[in-house]
Amino acid sequence: GTMFNGIFYGFVVDPEGQIGSRETQQLNELYRQLSKITEYYIPKPLSYFVRAARSSYLLLASSGQRVVGTGTLNLNSHGTGPTGRIDDVVTHTDFQRRGIAREVMAHLIRKATLLGMSQIRLDSDPSRFAANALYADIGFRHYDGNSYKLFI
């Protein structure tokens, strides 16, 4: 884990078997923040997160018993070798501006490197100014519409 402003954040790097109803509820609260029209957000069931943890790399940042940030790395296989896609990077509104998303991204990029990925893609809504500034600062290059790419 890492210290941010005196609060300890632990990273659950292999959440299978560690995601229960509390984590599911808290992850849905985070994903609701990403939804354009929050009143129409449909909460995902526990089975969704368990499946996601099996088929991709689901990262949770927690403060005590509270999930305060998350991000997902999906593995894609191509003829040129493995590439990655990062999805659903979000920090709880009460915990923003403390470097959590940057730390989540650093963990996901390290994992991609360990898996031998040559590049990572992500899509981000243009209205997410802070997120897009972070991605550019990390080294992602804007290349098409809402898409960004990082060569590693």
Side-chain angles (χ1 to χ4, degrees), residues 24-25 29 40 56 73 82-83 92-93 98 103 108 110-111 113 119 121 126 133:
T24 297
Q25 180 186 345
E29 286 172 19
Y40 293 120
S56 57
L73 173 66
T83 63
H92 192 285
T93 48
R98 302 187 193 184
E103 192 72 14
L108 296 176
R110 274 199 296 276
K111 183 66 172 179
T113 304
Q119 60 176 281
R121 289 183 51 181

Side-chain angles (χ1 to χ4, degrees), residues 33-126:
Q33 288 176 210
L34 291 173
S35 180
K36 277 289 213 205
I37 310 169
T38 54
E39 59 267 33
Y40 293 120
Y41 176 79
I42 299 167
K44 295 172 169 59
L46 172 62
S47 58
Y48 171 88
F49 296 107
V50 172
R51 238 187 354 264
R54 284 195 194 121
S55 60
S56 57
Y57 183 74
L58 175 62
L59 185 68
L60 310 182
S62 58
S63 176
Q65 296 296 301
R66 188 170 183 190
V67 177
V68 297
T70 187
T72 304
L73 173 66
N74 296 293
L75 175 66
N76 302 313
S77 294
H78 297 289
T80 55
T83 63
R85 178 180 175 81
I86 289 177
D87 289 305
D88 301 328
V89 175
V90 60
T91 303
H92 192 285
T93 48
D94 294 346
F95 290 81
Q96 289 176 349
R97 311 295 311 159
R98 302 187 193 184
I100 296 171
R102 183 178 295 274
E103 192 72 14
V104 166
M105 290 295 293
H107 274 266
L108 296 176
I109 292 166
R110 274 199 296 276
K111 183 66 172 179
T113 304
L114 289 171
L115 292 171
M117 295 179 185
S118 57
Q119 60 176 281
I120 305 171
R121 289 183 51 181
L122 63 82
D123 291 337
S124 183
D125 191 288

